[in-house]
Amino acid sequence: AATAAVFAAGVGQRCCGRRRRQAWTRAAAVSEKQTVSEVLLDLPDDLDALRSSLARLCDSPARAAMLGEALGGWRTSLLRGSLPGDEAVWPPEPLGRELRSTLRDLKLPEFIADSPSLVDSVLLNILDESVRWERAQSSSSSASPSSSSSPTSSPSLGSIGLQLGGSSGDAQSSQASGSSADAANA
């Protein structure tokens, strides 16, 4: 309920970076007392299409709250035909910056504005690819400690592929083929 109150207040949609970080801290503190399921149930109804992916990908209530809030901000921006600002904390940098730049170049926000099903499809793909990228970052930084000093050293940053209109199953098959391509490029 407290996380829903944070969303109802419009946090993460059109506020400055400092206020957003404070709200995320509040959401994370509240979610530590809850399970991942409780956090997901507290998400606004307009994020229903993303709940099962969040349940699959989130290993802690704090992560579920943070991703739910970030996805809510992205969804609001995309439905308006725009992108979240550079102060958005998700997806992590440099992926977030590259993703916003690519989506802006493709004029995707303008194309999918006012189409909740397309926005949800894009967000599901962004979520899946972001998690895949974070895992690749973790494995590459644990494999070679010196690579963690350079944020652009990710082997998979250029291979992020988004699909429009696909189901999460399509996104998963995209992940599998993207992983194969990453392996072939390595």
Side-chain angles (χ1 to χ4, degrees):
T3 305
V6 171
F7 281 108
V11 173
Q13 295 175 9
R14 288 183 287 164
C15 62
C16 68
R18 193 175 111 231
R19 282 183 52 206
R20 179 175 294 167
R21 282 187 297 275
Q22 290 171 346
W24 287 25
T25 302
R26 284 192 309 267
V30 168
S31 66
E32 288 175 7
K33 299 175 187 170
Q34 297 177 317
T35 65
V36 171
S37 297
E38 290 170 333
V39 170
L40 295 176
L41 289 172
D42 283 345
L43 292 176
D45 291 341
D46 60 350
L47 294 178
D48 280 346
L50 307 174
R51 285 182 211 265
S52 64
S53 289
L54 286 171
R56 178 176 45 88
L57 298 171
C58 293
D59 55 354
S60 72
R63 180 149 171 88
M66 186 279 296
L67 285 175
E69 203 164 323
L71 288 165
W74 269 82
R75 189 173 196 280
T76 299
S77 294
L78 289 172
L79 285 172
R80 291 181 183 156
S82 63
L83 291 167
D86 291 337
E87 73 279 354
V89 298
W90 183 87
E93 298 301 336
L95 177 62
R97 180 179 50 253
E98 290 293 322
L99 181 63
R100 287 187 301 275
S101 174
T102 300
L103 295 179
R104 191 176 300 114
D105 291 347
L106 294 172
K107 298 184 180 178
L108 189 70
E110 299 159 15
F111 176 72
I112 64 174
D114 300 321
S115 179
S117 62
L118 284 177
V119 168
D120 291 341
S121 178
V122 168
L123 289 176
L124 284 169
N125 281 285
I126 291 172
L127 178 63
D128 286 341
E129 294 298 329
S130 175
V131 168
R132 185 175 68 85
W133 183 82
E134 288 174 4
R135 287 180 184 154
Q137 284 292 102
S138 294
S139 66
S140 69
S141 66
S142 65
S144 65
S146 63
S147 68
S148 63
S149 63
S150 174
T152 58
S153 64
S154 169
S156 58
L157 181 60
S159 66
I160 299 298
L162 298 176
Q163 297 178 350
L164 281 178
S167 68
S168 63
D170 293 339
Q172 290 169 355
S173 65
S174 168
Q175 276 184 310
S177 65
S179 297
S180 305
D182 290 344
N185 292 334

